[in-house]
Amino acid sequence: MKIIIAKNSGFCFGVRRAIDLALSFSKKVGTVYTIGPIIHNPQVVKKLAGEDIKVADHACDIRSSNNVVIRAHGIPKKTMELLKKRKMRILDATCPYVTRSKKYAEELSKEGYRVVILGNPKHPEIKYISSYIPGNKILLKSESDVKKIGFSKKLGIITQTTQSPENFIKIASTLLNYSNEFKVFNTICPDAINRQKEAQRLAKKSDLILIIGGKNSANTVRLAAISKKIQPRTYHIEEAKELEKRWFKNVNTVGIVTGASTPQWIIEDVVNKVKDIT
Amino acid sequence: MKIIIAKNSGFCFGVRRAIDLALSFSKKVGTVYTIGPIIHNPQVVKKLAGEDIKVADHACDIRSSNNVVIRAHGIPKKTMELLKKRKMRILDATCPYVTRSKKYAEELSKEGYRVVILGNPKHPEIKYISSYIPGNKILLKSESDVKKIGFSKKLGIITQTTQSPENFIKIASTLLNYSNEFKVFNTICPDAINRQKEAQRLAKKSDLILIIGGKNSANTVRLAAISKKIQPRTYHIEEAKELEKRWFKNVNTVGIVTGASTPQWIIEDVVNKVKDIT
């Protein structure tokens, strides 16, 4: 059986950077805390706990004497203000692509645009960006939500970094009916786009696709959805132990696509397990 | 037979303003010249010639001692500079909506956007706006032209004032694939939109549509195209004398839609002639 691994696999730049920053910070100062998981991969987060990088649910769960690393998705403005007020030692590991989106959103707001953010309002990235936009903003999860918004004098549009370009263009196009003046930033992460393209390419040439990554990871969930549209035999797993022998019946080619926060060792585990059971 | 006249008929604000300005100027100073027709209605232009408002093809066809009225569509930057250099007395009757588009285009260019102008490159309005944009701009007539342009860092988009909103959104949506940063102004004239809506409404409820206006008038040609899609029995005429009795066979309801530069007296002529021949 042939196994093809997607070209863009393993950690993306932002995830690698966040983990490296947290590790070197913890080496220097001892135990550090993130508010919410540093990245959306439970296995990596568990491993990092052994390296003195712990997860707190809320800022108030951490003592003022503790050290804090800001997760790759960023944290809401109020939480950051609270940390600063408590004079805690902070290292910001927010992904530069996410920070850039937040800067664009702030710029739009300052220039008088009603800010539209395309993405999942419950995702920490969107919570972070949205928290920096005062007043009348619009959080749009899907095209059907567009109808709910009225006509605005000026609309400024940004999108979650893990959005698919097709969705972004579809929703932004519909929004063109709702104002006469727009400023639009396509803030999809280039790495996310490359992974999506690879998922499409492999889904077309494989009998089965394994998407490896956190079930809570937006970019991984997106990859699974994109792959499933082309190859219905798409399975989203976090670890090798989830693999089932029966999935591989009549399969000649397996495509392996990984989320931006999936570590190399999980990919290797999966490849070995696939070889074992088939 | 029932005759329904579109709600928005006769001169639009910009045409009325240009003619009023030219008339009061010529009353004050005598003969005045426009470079190209002041508006796109040959019958009105002919009538105005009798009121000392003459048409010159080029700036060099006018003597320095002559007085100039700038047509409703505007004139290219170089022509304006030539007139000013020759210290001619100039009255600018460019439509404020067209001037506004030009200002937006200049703003986009200054802000570093590659400027895209959706419209007919041969139309004087587009020639006027385009002449104020130095360097690398894109003139797009239709959606199929979009493929010719490459990826740009920043795209700024405006449109001819007589564009249809559907076309504008269609082309602007396609353009969303060609950059990651956009500033978009929907510069379609509100009066043009209202006339287009009326054309659609009347085309749906009439057995025959008469579109009255200059054959060289972009907004009138647009109205005829929109109406023809719904009611194939659509005739674009400039004057009553073009009407043919055979058009009205089995017609119970006639809808009359007029371009923005069609005068009231032509509309009345057409209505009377329709009544006469049917």
Side-chain angles (χ1 to χ4, degrees):
Chain A
M1 201 181 55
K2 199 176 164 189
I3 298 175
I4 312 171
I5 299 175
K7 274 178 201 159
N8 300 63
S9 283
F11 291 155
C12 71
F13 153 75
V15 166
R16 158 72 51 214
R17 180 178 169 273
I19 293 174
D20 285 351
L21 284 172
L23 284 171
S24 61
F25 193 42
S26 79
K27 247 181 212 166
K28 202 168 146 191
V29 300
T31 303
V32 300
Y33 285 86
T34 60
I35 300 154
I38 184 163
I39 58 164
H40 275 155
N41 187 287
Q43 292 71 37
V44 172
V45 171
K46 199 175 164 190
K47 211 175 177 189
L48 288 174
E51 311 250 11
D52 266 347
I53 299 163
K54 317 271 187 197
V55 183
D57 283 342
H58 300 284
C60 39
D61 296 337
I62 319 171
R63 288 187 198 157
S64 295
S65 57
N66 288 142
N67 307 298
V68 182
V69 172
I70 308 303
R71 63 191 297 176
H73 316 93
I75 57 167
K77 192 180 181 187
K78 276 193 181 164
T79 312
M80 183 60 115
E81 281 168 356
L82 181 65
L83 297 178
K84 283 182 177 167
K85 206 174 160 188
R86 290 171 68 194
K87 293 182 179 159
M88 297 173 79
R89 201 165 170 183
I90 304 164
L91 187 138
D92 190 354
T94 309
C95 168
Y97 283 115
V98 176
T99 308
R100 190 186 65 164
S101 296
K102 172 237 177 196
K103 276 186 189 156
Y104 285 151
E106 280 182 307
E107 180 186 314
L108 291 170
S109 179
K110 273 178 201 151
E111 289 175 3
Y113 292 90
R114 192 173 177 202
V115 180
V116 181
I117 306 171
L118 312 182
N120 180 359
K122 289 179 184 165
H123 191 280
E125 176 188 331
I126 301 301
K127 283 184 180 170
Y128 159 63
I129 296 170
S130 162
S131 71
Y132 280 86
I133 310 306
N136 200 357
K137 63 206 155 195
I138 302 163
L139 301 179
L140 280 185
K141 203 176 171 187
S142 68
E143 204 190 352
S144 58
D145 294 341
V146 179
K147 287 169 198 156
K148 294 176 200 161
I149 72 165
F151 194 88
S152 299
K153 208 174 161 228
K154 291 168 78 175
L155 279 184
I157 306 168
I158 65 147
T159 178
Q160 192 167 348
T161 51
T162 52
Q163 186 66 264
S164 81
E166 293 74 20
N167 257 2
F168 165 72
I169 287 171
K170 207 166 145 189
I171 302 177
S173 304
T174 311
L175 284 167
L176 290 174
N177 291 287
Y178 291 84
S179 181
N180 286 331
E181 194 174 334
F182 305 87
K183 199 163 173 178
V184 185
F185 293 99
N186 179 342
T187 49
I188 305 174
C189 162
D191 179 88
I193 294 175
N194 287 334
R195 281 176 205 256
Q196 289 174 20
K197 280 186 190 161
E198 268 293 275
Q200 285 171 323
R201 191 179 70 87
L202 293 197
K204 280 177 197 159
K205 59 192 278 184
S206 309
D207 305 314
L208 180 140
I209 292 286
L210 295 175
I211 306 283
I212 317 175
K215 300 274 166 76
N216 57 345
S217 154
N219 83 84
T220 316
V221 170
R222 174 80 60 197
L223 293 172
I226 286 169
S227 170
K228 205 159 197 144
K229 267 193 189 168
I230 300 165
Q231 175 49 271
R233 293 175 80 174
T234 292
Y235 296 92
H236 178 180
I237 58 169
E238 285 187 355
E239 292 178 280
K241 65 180 181 194
E242 293 165 59
L243 290 169
E244 294 182 31
K245 194 178 166 64
R246 61 183 176 92
W247 295 349
F248 297 88
K249 208 177 162 184
N250 301 325
V251 167
N252 292 315
T253 309
V254 176
I256 293 185
V257 177
T258 77
S261 46
T262 307
Q264 205 52 43
W265 54 270
I266 291 189
I267 304 171
E268 282 163 20
D269 270 5
V270 170
V271 171
N272 291 332
K273 183 79 185 283
V274 169
K275 284 179 183 165
D276 276 356
I277 65 172
T278 56
Chain B
M1 201 183 52
K2 200 176 163 189
I3 297 174
I4 312 172
I5 298 176
K7 275 178 199 157
N8 299 63
S9 282
F11 290 155
C12 71
F13 152 75
V15 166
R16 158 75 49 218
R17 180 178 169 275
I19 292 173
D20 286 350
L21 284 172
L23 283 170
S24 62
F25 193 42
S26 79
K27 247 182 211 162
K28 203 167 143 192
V29 301
T31 303
V32 299
Y33 285 86
T34 60
I35 300 155
I38 184 163
I39 58 164
H40 275 154
N41 187 287
Q43 293 71 38
V44 173
V45 171
K46 199 175 163 189
K47 210 175 178 189
L48 288 174
E51 310 252 11
D52 267 346
I53 299 164
K54 316 272 190 199
V55 183
D57 283 341
H58 299 284
C60 40
D61 296 337
I62 320 171
R63 287 185 198 161
S64 295
S65 56
N66 288 143
N67 306 298
V68 182
V69 172
I70 308 302
R71 62 193 296 179
H73 315 93
I75 57 167
K77 192 180 181 187
K78 275 194 182 165
T79 313
M80 183 60 113
E81 282 168 356
L82 181 67
L83 298 178
K84 283 183 178 167
K85 205 174 161 188
R86 289 171 67 192
K87 293 183 179 157
M88 298 174 78
R89 202 163 169 184
I90 303 164
L91 188 137
D92 190 354
T94 310
C95 167
Y97 283 114
V98 176
T99 308
R100 189 185 65 162
S101 296
K102 172 239 179 195
K103 276 185 188 158
Y104 285 151
E106 280 182 308
E107 180 185 315
L108 291 171
S109 179
K110 272 177 201 153
E111 289 175 2
Y113 292 91
R114 191 172 176 201
V115 180
V116 181
I117 306 171
L118 312 182
N120 180 356
K122 289 179 184 166
H123 191 281
E125 176 188 331
I126 301 302
K127 283 184 182 171
Y128 159 63
I129 295 170
S130 162
S131 71
Y132 281 85
I133 310 307
N136 201 357
K137 61 206 157 192
I138 302 163
L139 302 179
L140 279 185
K141 203 175 172 186
S142 68
E143 206 191 350
S144 58
D145 294 340
V146 178
K147 287 169 199 158
K148 294 176 202 159
I149 73 165
F151 195 87
S152 300
K153 207 175 161 228
K154 292 168 77 176
L155 280 183
I157 305 169
I158 66 147
T159 177
Q160 192 167 349
T161 52
T162 52
Q163 186 66 265
S164 81
E166 292 75 19
N167 257 1
F168 165 72
I169 287 171
K170 208 165 142 189
I171 301 176
S173 303
T174 311
L175 283 167
L176 290 175
N177 291 289
Y178 291 83
S179 181
N180 285 331
E181 193 175 335
F182 305 87
K183 198 162 174 180
V184 186
F185 292 99
N186 180 340
T187 48
I188 305 174
C189 162
D191 179 89
I193 294 175
N194 287 334
R195 282 176 205 254
Q196 289 174 22
K197 280 185 189 160
E198 269 294 275
Q200 284 171 322
R201 191 180 70 88
L202 293 197
K204 279 176 197 159
K205 59 192 281 184
S206 309
D207 305 314
L208 180 141
I209 291 287
L210 296 174
I211 306 284
I212 317 175
K215 300 274 167 76
N216 57 345
S217 154
N219 83 85
T220 316
V221 169
R222 174 80 59 196
L223 293 172
I226 287 170
S227 171
K228 204 156 198 148
K229 266 193 189 171
I230 300 166
Q231 175 49 272
R233 292 175 78 175
T234 292
Y235 296 93
H236 178 179
I237 58 169
E238 285 188 356
E239 293 178 280
K241 67 179 180 194
E242 293 166 59
L243 291 169
E244 292 182 33
K245 194 179 166 65
R246 62 183 177 92
W247 296 350
F248 297 88
K249 208 175 161 185
N250 300 325
V251 167
N252 292 315
T253 309
V254 175
I256 292 184
V257 177
T258 77
S261 46
T262 307
Q264 205 52 45
W265 56 269
I266 291 188
I267 303 171
E268 282 161 20
D269 270 6
V270 171
V271 171
N272 291 333
K273 183 79 186 283
V274 170
K275 282 179 184 163
D276 277 356
I277 64 172
T278 57

